[in-house]
Amino acid sequence: MGKVTGFMEYERVEEGYKPVEERVKHYKEFVVGLDESQAKVQGARCMDCGTPFCNSGCPVNNVIPDFNDLVFRGDWKNAIEVLHSTNNFPEFTGRICPAPCEAACVLNVNDDAVGIKSIEHAIIDRAWDEGWVQARPPKHKTGRRVAVVGSGPAGMAAAQQLARVGHDVTLFEKNDRIGGLLRYGIPDFKMEKSHIDRRVKQMEAEGVAFRTGVLVGKLPEGSKVTNWAKETLTPEQLHKDFDAIILTGGAEQSRDLPVPGRDLDGIHFAMEFLPQQNKVNAGDKVKGQLRADGKHVIVIGGGDTGSDCVGTSNRHGAASVTQFELMPQPPEEENRPLTWPYWPYKLRTSSSHEEGCEREFAIATKEFIGEKGKVTGLKTVRVEWKDGKMVEVPGSEQVLKADLVLLAMGFVSPVASILDTFGVDKDARGNAKASTDFAGGYATNVPKVFAAGDMRRGQSLVVWAIREGRQAARAVDEFLMGFSDLPR
């Protein structure tokens, strides 16, 4: 490394945030990234550790020590080349990835990890500013046609990789804009959608054809999954028109809470609430938009989606926001000798929590209470875990006021009817059944149909979706051509 003793000389520098009172008034990004000198210092903290666990901690296996060193040396142009060699969209991961690479950093054994995510963020933002991110159209066309169904990060990564080796790729999206969960799940204040739009332009220049508002297969009646499709295609049509099909839709089936009072007005899935605000931010008019203005909001679910509901509710002007988590409160500091280099169990406080939120742990909802068909409160009970089982704490029941309840308890599987229309076998969790073995990787039981991303592995991270999209692209390329030069 360029600065062998850097990890002993320099402290970790975190990215900053704009003040709460300023940022809750809008939906724009508010992270203050590292400047050039700060990024250089963070790059200098990367150790000459021999075995860089950060590489394996990162699902796309970013070559982290190399780009850290290049930033330290001021060679930003080669840094983006190294970063792009493993990650098609570092502007996505540099903003919304939880950074498992940092948990695996060797320095994290007994000190603060290298700010890998902040360095990645700095590299890609500079690359766009300098004009280094250019389209890479293929030199030769293969004449093979590939359909990619679902335009989230897995679909975008697969489509870009396949287009770059000369295949004619069409990317289908049921909603009115490209991006999947990136577009209609992640709030703009965490990632503005201009980042998706400029990648779409790059991919169009590389030969990818985008078709929005097209539902492939069918959704069950009464489905709460976002769908602004104006056209429907059958799997038979895709089989006829394409040489290979990759299913890269999301795990969109939200986990429900079937307790008494669930049918009251004012109780909604998070993915009914969040997409509407993103559409409004894009300039659309949403009739009857779900709003939190002046309401007492309870978010059920303590993960990232719940946090996104908290941040959006605060920007609406909610009277109060409370977030429920079924599990007990984690420790503020992880047990590093026990967990390193794996993802640690510890309390995580998001920027949305800092903007205003009461957090309740070890609490369960027993019943929704309402008047005249509308929710007015929740009957709750405290819980504890004994012998691996959740038990209620006697005498701990209480009623909490609520005008709006948002269910953010995760996603259980893809929409089953989509897989059923293709005839794809499902695993025990309802995901598309397809292995990641080198031979026939990502192939389903249906000839020439592949599956990747959340549709195959279940609810997961954006960085895992990019990895699966890239690997599925290689598998499809090998299936079509008999070999592949694409990286696995």
Side-chain angles (χ1 to χ4, degrees):
M1 306 304 296
K3 185 69 170 176
V4 177
T5 58
F7 70 97
M8 296 188 290
E9 298 175 31
Y10 305 122
E11 299 295 324
R12 177 182 169 99
V13 176
E14 299 276 358
E15 293 182 316
Y17 294 148
K18 293 180 180 177
V20 170
E21 60 272 14
E22 174 187 330
R23 70 190 196 228
V24 295
K25 296 177 181 177
H26 60 74
Y27 292 89
K28 297 184 181 299
E29 292 178 12
F30 52 80
V31 171
V32 180
L34 303 184
D35 62 28
E36 184 171 351
S37 62
Q38 289 173 324
K40 180 175 180 177
V41 167
Q42 280 305 291
R45 295 186 71 238
C46 189
M47 303 169 67
D48 188 7
C49 57
T51 302
F53 284 83
C54 56
N55 287 8
S56 55
C58 172
V60 292
N61 302 125
N62 279 338
V63 193
I64 293 164
D66 291 43
F67 69 63
N68 283 345
D69 187 51
L70 289 165
V71 167
F72 168 72
R73 297 175 185 277
D75 191 352
W76 292 78
K77 194 167 186 179
N78 273 321
I80 188 57
E81 290 298 318
V82 170
L83 184 50
H84 266 153
S85 70
T86 55
N87 186 351
N88 295 64
F89 313 117
E91 63 269 47
F92 303 165
T93 53
R95 284 169 167 80
I96 58 177
C97 183
C101 55
E102 294 187 12
C105 174
V106 173
L107 190 55
N108 195 48
V109 171
N110 61 358
D111 200 349
D112 294 327
V114 174
I116 300 166
K117 178 180 172 181
S118 60
I119 294 173
E120 179 178 334
H121 188 179
I123 292 171
I124 184 59
D125 280 9
R126 177 158 182 173
W128 279 108
D129 290 343
E130 298 284 352
W132 296 333
V133 183
Q134 297 291 328
R136 300 178 184 178
K139 295 180 180 178
H140 306 284
K141 301 291 282 186
T142 66
R144 305 294 199 277
R145 304 190 68 203
V146 182
V148 181
V149 182
S151 73
M156 289 181 69
Q160 185 168 60
Q161 293 292 95
L162 288 166
R164 286 177 172 178
V165 292
H167 301 304
D168 291 315
V169 181
T170 302
L171 186 51
F172 294 93
E173 170 57 53
K174 70 179 183 301
N175 293 323
D176 55 353
R177 294 180 178 90
I178 296 297
L181 184 68
L182 292 170
R183 175 74 67 176
Y184 286 125
I186 305 295
D188 290 59
F189 56 80
K190 287 176 67 175
M191 195 191 85
E192 293 176 18
K193 307 317 169 198
S194 58
H195 304 298
I196 305 171
D197 296 336
R198 60 187 179 186
R199 281 296 182 181
V200 168
K201 289 181 180 178
Q202 180 197 32
M203 292 169 65
E204 285 176 333
E206 293 169 343
V208 177
F210 293 94
R211 292 187 60 184
T212 57
V214 179
L215 175 65
V216 177
K218 64 179 181 179
L219 293 174
E221 286 188 28
S223 173
K224 299 292 186 180
V225 171
T226 57
N227 174 30
W228 291 294
K230 297 180 179 179
E231 179 184 355
T232 301
L233 291 179
T234 65
E236 291 74 21
Q237 288 172 285
L238 263 61
H239 276 283
K240 177 183 176 183
D241 295 339
F242 294 92
D243 301 299
I245 302 163
I246 314 179
L247 304 179
T248 56
E252 296 182 277
Q253 196 68 49
S254 298
R255 182 174 282 107
D256 207 344
L257 186 58
V259 299
R262 172 62 180 90
D263 58 344
L264 290 168
D265 187 28
I267 304 169
H268 301 275
F269 289 118
M271 289 306 295
E272 295 176 77
F273 177 69
L274 295 172
Q276 292 186 2
Q277 185 58 55
N278 285 9
K279 282 186 72 68
V280 170
N281 294 344
D284 295 349
K285 294 186 182 298
V286 177
K287 186 178 180 180
Q289 181 193 357
L290 296 176
R291 300 275 311 180
D293 313 65
K295 295 179 180 178
H296 296 282
V297 180
I298 291 183
V299 179
I300 301 180
D304 288 341
T305 304
S307 173
D308 294 342
C309 291
V310 170
T312 302
S313 296
N314 280 326
R315 281 161 178 76
H316 283 182
S320 69
V321 184
T322 305
Q323 186 176 21
F324 285 4
E325 169 55 60
L326 190 64
M327 301 299 290
Q329 181 172 329
E332 292 192 10
E333 289 291 331
E334 72 269 34
N335 186 337
R336 296 189 189 192
L338 179 66
T339 60
W340 183 87
Y342 302 108
W343 188 244
Y345 177 66
K346 68 175 183 179
L347 181 66
R348 303 177 193 279
T349 300
S350 72
S351 59
S352 292
H353 293 142
E354 294 171 352
E355 292 165 3
C357 174
E358 292 292 326
R359 303 173 74 181
E360 297 284 350
F361 293 89
I363 189 169
T365 302
K366 296 197 70 173
E367 181 182 352
F368 296 112
I369 300 170
E371 294 179 7
K372 299 179 180 179
K374 293 187 177 182
V375 68
T376 58
L378 284 75
K379 182 182 288 187
T380 67
V381 65
R382 296 291 171 177
V383 295
E384 58 185 3
W385 298 82
K386 292 183 177 180
D387 300 323
K389 295 182 179 179
M390 186 184 74
V391 295
E392 296 181 2
V393 177
S396 65
E397 289 190 2
Q398 58 180 331
V399 174
L400 298 179
K401 181 176 177 58
D403 307 305
L404 175 63
V405 179
L406 300 172
L407 305 180
M409 302 175 293
F411 304 89
V412 293
S413 67
V415 178
S417 60
I418 299 292
L419 297 177
D420 292 340
T421 56
F422 274 92
V424 170
D425 287 345
K426 298 188 286 287
D427 64 17
R429 296 184 301 156
N431 303 318
K433 191 174 183 179
S435 76
T436 58
D437 295 338
F438 281 98
Y442 295 90
T444 70
N445 61 297
V446 181
K448 77 180 187 180
V449 175
F450 298 74
D454 286 6
M455 184 163 277
R456 190 201 70 83
R457 66 178 288 114
Q459 178 192 1
S460 192
L461 305 175
V462 167
V463 67
W464 271 108
I466 294 172
R467 171 196 171 110
E468 295 230 338
R470 287 171 60 89
Q471 291 189 339
R474 178 186 168 89
V476 169
D477 187 36
E478 199 166 33
F479 165 73
L480 294 173
M481 307 302 292
F483 68 96
S484 179
D485 291 327
L486 285 171
R488 181 177 166 85

